[in-house]
Amino acid sequence: MNNIKQQSSGWVKTPLSYKTGVFGVVLLLLWIGIFKFTPTEAAAIEPLVKNHPFMGWLYSILSVQGVSNLVGISEIIIAVGLIYSFFNPKAGVFFGVLASVLSIVTLSFLFTTPDTWKMVDGVPTTSFFLVKDILFLAVSLQVIEHNKKLLSRS
C-alpha cells in the first residue's frame, strides 16, 4: 500500500516538462510505429535497414513488409512501456533503456545509409526524420534517470 502511495505521489511531483517530453515521444512512437505497417513506410525504411551492419540481415529471413512490421511492433511496445513507466519505475528504467537503444540505432542510420547527407544551397542537410531521435534520446535518458531516482527513494 505504501509503495502505491509513493508511486502516485511520484506522478504528482513529476514536472510537467518531463510528462510533456515523454508524451511527445510516446505519441510519435505510436504514430510512426503504426505507419510502419503500410507499404509506403516499409519501402521508405528499406534502404536504412538494408545498409545497417546490425540489421540488414533481417531481409534474409523476412520480407520488406515483415521487417517494417517488426520495427513498428518494437516502436509500439516501447511507447506503451513508456506510458507504463509513469506507474512502475522498474519498467521505466527498462523501457527508457530500450527507447535509448532505439534512438541510437535510428541515429546510426545517418552514418550507415549511403546518400543520407546532401548539400542544398551550400548547406549540408539530411533526413529530419532521423535527426528527431536526438530529442528522443534525451527524453529516453531522462526516463532512465527519473525512474532510477524514484527507485532509490523506495
Side-chain angles (χ1 to χ4, degrees), residues 1-149:
M1 183 69 175
N2 194 23
N3 193 21
I4 293 171
K5 218 180 244 187
Q6 282 180 327
Q7 287 178 2
S8 63
S9 69
W11 168 258
V12 174
K13 293 177 185 177
T14 303
L16 179 61
S17 58
Y18 173 84
K19 293 175 191 171
T20 304
V22 174
F23 173 76
V25 169
V26 166
L27 176 66
L28 288 171
L29 281 176
L30 287 173
W31 201 345
I32 293 165
I34 291 167
F35 193 47
K36 293 288 190 297
F37 289 88
T38 68
T40 302
E41 182 65 1
I45 69 165
E46 183 180 11
L48 301 171
V49 176
K50 189 176 273 188
N51 287 291
H52 198 277
F54 301 119
M55 296 180 70
W57 63 272
L58 289 169
Y59 290 108
S60 66
I61 58 170
L62 295 171
S63 67
V64 170
Q65 189 63 60
V67 170
S68 189
N69 292 353
L70 181 64
V71 173
I73 288 167
S74 301
E75 291 168 335
I76 292 167
I77 289 170
I78 291 170
V80 171
L82 290 174
I83 293 168
Y84 187 53
S85 76
F86 285 115
F87 308 100
N88 185 315
K90 285 183 184 177
V93 172
F94 178 74
F95 284 100
V97 169
L98 288 182
S100 296
V101 170
L102 178 69
S103 298
I104 290 167
V105 169
T106 302
L107 286 168
S108 72
F109 293 147
L110 291 167
F111 307 103
T112 61
T113 306
D115 301 321
T116 301
W117 293 91
K118 298 174 179 29
M119 291 297 277
V120 177
D121 297 327
V123 178
T125 64
T126 189
S127 170
F128 296 111
F129 173 75
L130 299 174
V131 176
K132 73 168 178 358
D133 277 81
I134 295 170
L135 298 172
F136 279 23
L137 179 58
V139 171
S140 300
L141 293 172
Q142 284 183 325
V143 169
I144 296 167
E145 292 169 354
H146 174 76
N147 285 290
K148 278 187 172 183
K149 283 180 191 171

